[in-house]
Amino acid sequence: YQSLHTTVLGPGGNIIDLLFRTESMHEIAMRGIVSEWQQRRRGGDDALTLPGSTFAWLRSLQSISDASAEADDFIKAAQMELLPDQVFCFTPKGDVISLPRGSTSLDFAYAIHSSLGNHCHVAKVNGRLQSIHATLRNGDRVEIETRKDLEPSPEWEDLVVSGRAKVEIR
C-alpha cells in the first residue's frame, strides 16, 4: 500500500482526510500484489504493471515461482535471490542456522554455542568429514565433532567470517 496521506482542518473545524496516489499506486492498493500474481497465473490480459525497481524483488520472486515445480525449489531459489549474502545450513536435528556467505564449519559451531566452537575439532558436512575451515553452502547439513582438550587459537580468527565467531575467539 502506497500513498501520501494527510489530515487537515477544514471549514467549520471539520477534519478532512486527503489521500494522494498515482494510478499505479491506486491499482496496487485496490487490487493488491497477491491478486496481481493470481491474474498473471490465469493468463489475464489486464495484469497490473509493477513500477520500476520498486517491485523488482517481487518480479524476481514471481519469475522464480513460475519456474519452480516444487515448493522446496522455490524456497531455496528465493533465499538465494533475496538473501544473497547469507547461507542457510542445517543442524543434525534439522534446525536452520543462518550464516554470512563464506562461513565455515567453525562459524557454524560458534553460531550454535560458544563452547561448541571453542572445542570444535572437525565437521561432518552432508555426512562427509571436512576441516573446520571448509566453506559452507546453502542446504549443507553440518555436524560438529569436539575435543575437550582443544582451545581456540588466534589463527582461528582468520578462518571465520561471522562477527560472533570472531568475538568468541578473541
mmCIF file of all heavy atoms in Angstrom, residues 51-79:
data_model
loop_
_atom_site.group_PDB
_atom_site.id
_atom_site.type_symbol
_atom_site.label_atom_id
_atom_site.label_comp_id
_atom_site.label_asym_id
_atom_site.label_seq_id
_atom_site.Cartn_x
_atom_site.Cartn_y
_atom_site.Cartn_z
ATOM 1 N N PRO A 51 5.676 -0.945 -11.060
ATOM 2 C CA PRO A 51 6.584 0.118 -11.492
ATOM 3 C C PRO A 51 8.042 -0.131 -11.153
ATOM 4 O O PRO A 51 8.371 -0.571 -10.066
ATOM 5 C CB PRO A 51 6.058 1.339 -10.727
ATOM 6 C CG PRO A 51 5.369 0.787 -9.527
ATOM 7 C CD PRO A 51 4.821 -0.539 -9.947
ATOM 8 N N GLY A 52 8.900 0.171 -12.143
ATOM 9 C CA GLY A 52 10.347 0.248 -11.984
ATOM 10 C C GLY A 52 10.994 -0.713 -11.015
ATOM 11 O O GLY A 52 10.588 -1.837 -10.847
ATOM 12 N N SER A 53 12.039 -0.214 -10.371
ATOM 13 C CA SER A 53 12.817 -1.029 -9.450
ATOM 14 C C SER A 53 12.136 -1.198 -8.107
ATOM 15 O O SER A 53 12.554 -2.009 -7.296
ATOM 16 C CB SER A 53 14.196 -0.415 -9.256
ATOM 17 O OG SER A 53 14.060 0.851 -8.654
ATOM 18 N N THR A 54 11.054 -0.428 -7.863
ATOM 19 C CA THR A 54 10.363 -0.519 -6.581
ATOM 20 C C THR A 54 9.935 -1.945 -6.296
ATOM 21 O O THR A 54 10.021 -2.417 -5.175
ATOM 22 C CB THR A 54 9.113 0.398 -6.584
ATOM 23 O OG1 THR A 54 9.520 1.709 -6.916
ATOM 24 C CG2 THR A 54 8.426 0.381 -5.237
ATOM 25 N N PHE A 55 9.487 -2.648 -7.327
ATOM 26 C CA PHE A 55 8.999 -4.009 -7.134
ATOM 27 C C PHE A 55 9.860 -5.040 -7.862
ATOM 28 O O PHE A 55 9.391 -6.128 -8.179
ATOM 29 C CB PHE A 55 7.542 -4.117 -7.586
ATOM 30 C CG PHE A 55 6.607 -3.316 -6.724
ATOM 31 C CD1 PHE A 55 6.120 -2.102 -7.147
ATOM 32 C CD2 PHE A 55 6.232 -3.779 -5.471
ATOM 33 C CE1 PHE A 55 5.273 -1.358 -6.349
ATOM 34 C CE2 PHE A 55 5.391 -3.041 -4.666
ATOM 35 C CZ PHE A 55 4.903 -1.829 -5.104
ATOM 36 N N ALA A 56 11.105 -4.702 -8.144
ATOM 37 C CA ALA A 56 11.986 -5.631 -8.846
ATOM 38 C C ALA A 56 12.126 -6.941 -8.084
ATOM 39 O O ALA A 56 12.111 -8.023 -8.671
ATOM 40 C CB ALA A 56 13.356 -4.998 -9.069
ATOM 41 N N TRP A 57 12.242 -6.856 -6.771
ATOM 42 C CA TRP A 57 12.377 -8.068 -5.955
ATOM 43 C C TRP A 57 11.116 -8.922 -6.057
ATOM 44 O O TRP A 57 11.194 -10.146 -6.068
ATOM 45 C CB TRP A 57 12.679 -7.716 -4.502
ATOM 46 C CG TRP A 57 11.552 -6.998 -3.816
ATOM 47 C CD1 TRP A 57 11.310 -5.655 -3.793
ATOM 48 C CD2 TRP A 57 10.487 -7.596 -3.065
ATOM 49 N NE1 TRP A 57 10.168 -5.380 -3.081
ATOM 50 C CE2 TRP A 57 9.644 -6.549 -2.618
ATOM 51 C CE3 TRP A 57 10.175 -8.909 -2.729
ATOM 52 C CZ2 TRP A 57 8.509 -6.780 -1.855
ATOM 53 C CZ3 TRP A 57 9.040 -9.137 -1.968
ATOM 54 C CH2 TRP A 57 8.224 -8.072 -1.541
ATOM 55 N N LEU A 58 9.963 -8.281 -6.192
ATOM 56 C CA LEU A 58 8.711 -9.019 -6.295
ATOM 57 C C LEU A 58 8.602 -9.696 -7.659
ATOM 58 O O LEU A 58 8.179 -10.851 -7.751
ATOM 59 C CB LEU A 58 7.541 -8.059 -6.068
ATOM 60 C CG LEU A 58 6.202 -8.671 -5.784
ATOM 61 C CD1 LEU A 58 6.278 -9.650 -4.618
ATOM 62 C CD2 LEU A 58 5.192 -7.587 -5.467
ATOM 63 N N ARG A 59 9.008 -8.982 -8.718
ATOM 64 C CA ARG A 59 9.023 -9.598 -10.047
ATOM 65 C C ARG A 59 9.990 -10.770 -10.065
ATOM 66 O O ARG A 59 9.721 -11.795 -10.691
ATOM 67 C CB ARG A 59 9.397 -8.560 -11.098
ATOM 68 C CG ARG A 59 8.237 -7.664 -11.504
ATOM 69 C CD ARG A 59 8.569 -6.860 -12.752
ATOM 70 N NE ARG A 59 9.689 -5.960 -12.546
ATOM 71 C CZ ARG A 59 9.595 -4.750 -12.024
ATOM 72 N NH1 ARG A 59 8.431 -4.295 -11.651
ATOM 73 N NH2 ARG A 59 10.658 -3.994 -11.878
ATOM 74 N N SER A 60 11.109 -10.626 -9.367
ATOM 75 C CA SER A 60 12.084 -11.714 -9.288
ATOM 76 C C SER A 60 11.466 -12.939 -8.616
ATOM 77 O O SER A 60 11.622 -14.063 -9.084
ATOM 78 C CB SER A 60 13.314 -11.240 -8.514
ATOM 79 O OG SER A 60 14.200 -12.291 -8.306
ATOM 80 N N LEU A 61 10.755 -12.718 -7.513
ATOM 81 C CA LEU A 61 10.081 -13.829 -6.837
ATOM 82 C C LEU A 61 9.040 -14.467 -7.743
ATOM 83 O O LEU A 61 8.876 -15.689 -7.752
ATOM 84 C CB LEU A 61 9.393 -13.343 -5.558
ATOM 85 C CG LEU A 61 10.223 -13.286 -4.300
ATOM 86 C CD1 LEU A 61 9.350 -12.865 -3.118
ATOM 87 C CD2 LEU A 61 10.893 -14.598 -3.989
ATOM 88 N N GLN A 62 8.330 -13.656 -8.496
ATOM 89 C CA GLN A 62 7.311 -14.182 -9.382
ATOM 90 C C GLN A 62 7.934 -15.086 -10.434
ATOM 91 O O GLN A 62 7.420 -16.171 -10.720
ATOM 92 C CB GLN A 62 6.551 -13.045 -10.051
ATOM 93 C CG GLN A 62 5.451 -13.545 -10.960
ATOM 94 C CD GLN A 62 4.675 -12.408 -11.588
ATOM 95 O OE1 GLN A 62 4.875 -11.251 -11.247
ATOM 96 N NE2 GLN A 62 3.785 -12.738 -12.491
ATOM 97 N N SER A 63 9.046 -14.669 -11.009
ATOM 98 C CA SER A 63 9.684 -15.500 -12.037
ATOM 99 C C SER A 63 10.234 -16.791 -11.429
ATOM 100 O O SER A 63 10.175 -17.850 -12.059
ATOM 101 C CB SER A 63 10.778 -14.726 -12.770
ATOM 102 O OG SER A 63 11.850 -14.448 -11.920
ATOM 103 N N ILE A 64 10.738 -16.724 -10.196
ATOM 104 C CA ILE A 64 11.204 -17.928 -9.520
ATOM 105 C C ILE A 64 10.026 -18.866 -9.275
ATOM 106 O O ILE A 64 10.112 -20.070 -9.502
ATOM 107 C CB ILE A 64 11.900 -17.584 -8.181
ATOM 108 C CG1 ILE A 64 13.219 -16.859 -8.435
ATOM 109 C CG2 ILE A 64 12.137 -18.837 -7.346
ATOM 110 C CD1 ILE A 64 13.836 -16.246 -7.192
ATOM 111 N N SER A 65 8.905 -18.300 -8.838
ATOM 112 C CA SER A 65 7.705 -19.094 -8.576
ATOM 113 C C SER A 65 7.219 -19.774 -9.849
ATOM 114 O O SER A 65 6.862 -20.953 -9.847
ATOM 115 C CB SER A 65 6.604 -18.205 -8.000
ATOM 116 O OG SER A 65 5.415 -18.925 -7.845
ATOM 117 N N ASP A 66 7.209 -19.038 -10.956
ATOM 118 C CA ASP A 66 6.755 -19.598 -12.231
ATOM 119 C C ASP A 66 7.655 -20.739 -12.701
ATOM 120 O O ASP A 66 7.183 -21.684 -13.323
ATOM 121 C CB ASP A 66 6.699 -18.511 -13.306
ATOM 122 C CG ASP A 66 5.608 -17.482 -13.040
ATOM 123 O OD1 ASP A 66 4.710 -17.748 -12.211
ATOM 124 O OD2 ASP A 66 5.676 -16.390 -13.647
ATOM 125 N N ALA A 67 8.947 -20.649 -12.398
ATOM 126 C CA ALA A 67 9.906 -21.648 -12.861
ATOM 127 C C ALA A 67 10.064 -22.832 -11.900
ATOM 128 O O ALA A 67 10.695 -23.816 -12.256
ATOM 129 C CB ALA A 67 11.265 -20.996 -13.082
ATOM 130 N N SER A 68 9.487 -22.740 -10.705
ATOM 131 C CA SER A 68 9.676 -23.782 -9.691
ATOM 132 C C SER A 68 8.500 -24.741 -9.684
ATOM 133 O O SER A 68 7.354 -24.343 -9.499
ATOM 134 C CB SER A 68 9.814 -23.153 -8.298
ATOM 135 O OG SER A 68 10.910 -22.286 -8.257
ATOM 136 N N ALA A 69 8.817 -26.018 -9.858
ATOM 137 C CA ALA A 69 7.770 -27.034 -9.835
ATOM 138 C C ALA A 69 7.413 -27.429 -8.402
ATOM 139 O O ALA A 69 6.278 -27.769 -8.107
ATOM 140 C CB ALA A 69 8.223 -28.268 -10.618
ATOM 141 N N GLU A 70 8.369 -27.392 -7.511
ATOM 142 C CA GLU A 70 8.172 -27.819 -6.127
ATOM 143 C C GLU A 70 8.358 -26.637 -5.179
ATOM 144 O O GLU A 70 9.147 -25.730 -5.445
ATOM 145 C CB GLU A 70 9.188 -28.909 -5.756
ATOM 146 C CG GLU A 70 9.100 -30.161 -6.594
ATOM 147 C CD GLU A 70 7.838 -30.950 -6.319
ATOM 148 O OE1 GLU A 70 7.389 -30.966 -5.158
ATOM 149 O OE2 GLU A 70 7.300 -31.548 -7.264
ATOM 150 N N ALA A 71 7.670 -26.679 -4.052
ATOM 151 C CA ALA A 71 7.778 -25.612 -3.044
ATOM 152 C C ALA A 71 9.202 -25.505 -2.513
ATOM 153 O O ALA A 71 9.708 -24.402 -2.296
ATOM 154 C CB ALA A 71 6.801 -25.866 -1.899
ATOM 155 N N ASP A 72 9.868 -26.640 -2.298
ATOM 156 C CA ASP A 72 11.242 -26.624 -1.794
ATOM 157 C C ASP A 72 12.181 -25.908 -2.761
ATOM 158 O O ASP A 72 13.065 -25.166 -2.346
ATOM 159 C CB ASP A 72 11.758 -28.045 -1.540
ATOM 160 C CG ASP A 72 11.119 -28.688 -0.327
ATOM 161 O OD1 ASP A 72 10.495 -27.965 0.480
ATOM 162 O OD2 ASP A 72 11.246 -29.913 -0.176
ATOM 163 N N ASP A 73 11.981 -26.147 -4.062
ATOM 164 C CA ASP A 73 12.806 -25.471 -5.065
ATOM 165 C C ASP A 73 12.598 -23.964 -5.003
ATOM 166 O O ASP A 73 13.543 -23.186 -5.101
ATOM 167 C CB ASP A 73 12.468 -25.966 -6.471
ATOM 168 C CG ASP A 73 12.805 -27.423 -6.682
ATOM 169 O OD1 ASP A 73 13.660 -27.940 -5.936
ATOM 170 O OD2 ASP A 73 12.212 -28.041 -7.586
ATOM 171 N N PHE A 74 11.341 -23.556 -4.846
ATOM 172 C CA PHE A 74 11.025 -22.133 -4.770
ATOM 173 C C PHE A 74 11.692 -21.498 -3.558
ATOM 174 O O PHE A 74 12.307 -20.444 -3.658
ATOM 175 C CB PHE A 74 9.511 -21.915 -4.706
ATOM 176 C CG PHE A 74 9.135 -20.491 -4.396
ATOM 177 C CD1 PHE A 74 9.260 -19.502 -5.361
ATOM 178 C CD2 PHE A 74 8.691 -20.133 -3.142
ATOM 179 C CE1 PHE A 74 8.929 -18.184 -5.092
ATOM 180 C CE2 PHE A 74 8.354 -18.822 -2.849
ATOM 181 C CZ PHE A 74 8.475 -17.847 -3.831
ATOM 182 N N ILE A 75 11.602 -22.154 -2.397
ATOM 183 C CA ILE A 75 12.172 -21.599 -1.167
ATOM 184 C C ILE A 75 13.678 -21.457 -1.291
ATOM 185 O O ILE A 75 14.242 -20.415 -0.954
ATOM 186 C CB ILE A 75 11.786 -22.461 0.052
ATOM 187 C CG1 ILE A 75 10.285 -22.286 0.320
ATOM 188 C CG2 ILE A 75 12.606 -22.094 1.274
ATOM 189 C CD1 ILE A 75 9.721 -23.246 1.334
ATOM 190 N N LYS A 76 14.351 -22.478 -1.800
ATOM 191 C CA LYS A 76 15.812 -22.412 -1.951
ATOM 192 C C LYS A 76 16.210 -21.283 -2.907
ATOM 193 O O LYS A 76 17.115 -20.509 -2.625
ATOM 194 C CB LYS A 76 16.365 -23.745 -2.439
ATOM 195 C CG LYS A 76 16.392 -24.807 -1.371
ATOM 196 C CD LYS A 76 16.917 -26.121 -1.913
ATOM 197 C CE LYS A 76 16.817 -27.194 -0.851
ATOM 198 N NZ LYS A 76 17.191 -28.514 -1.370
ATOM 199 N N ALA A 77 15.523 -21.204 -4.032
ATOM 200 C CA ALA A 77 15.854 -20.174 -5.018
ATOM 201 C C ALA A 77 15.553 -18.780 -4.476
ATOM 202 O O ALA A 77 16.313 -17.841 -4.693
ATOM 203 C CB ALA A 77 15.086 -20.422 -6.316
ATOM 204 N N ALA A 78 14.441 -18.639 -3.757
ATOM 205 C CA ALA A 78 14.076 -17.334 -3.193
ATOM 206 C C ALA A 78 15.090 -16.889 -2.153
ATOM 207 O O ALA A 78 15.443 -15.715 -2.085
ATOM 208 C CB ALA A 78 12.677 -17.395 -2.589
ATOM 209 N N GLN A 79 15.562 -17.826 -1.341
ATOM 210 C CA GLN A 79 16.581 -17.486 -0.347
ATOM 211 C C GLN A 79 17.840 -16.967 -1.033
ATOM 212 O O GLN A 79 18.428 -15.975 -0.590
ATOM 213 C CB GLN A 79 16.940 -18.708 0.504
ATOM 214 C CG GLN A 79 15.895 -19.083 1.512
ATOM 215 C CD GLN A 79 16.223 -20.388 2.207
ATOM 216 O OE1 GLN A 79 17.043 -21.182 1.759
ATOM 217 N NE2 GLN A 79 15.569 -20.626 3.318
#
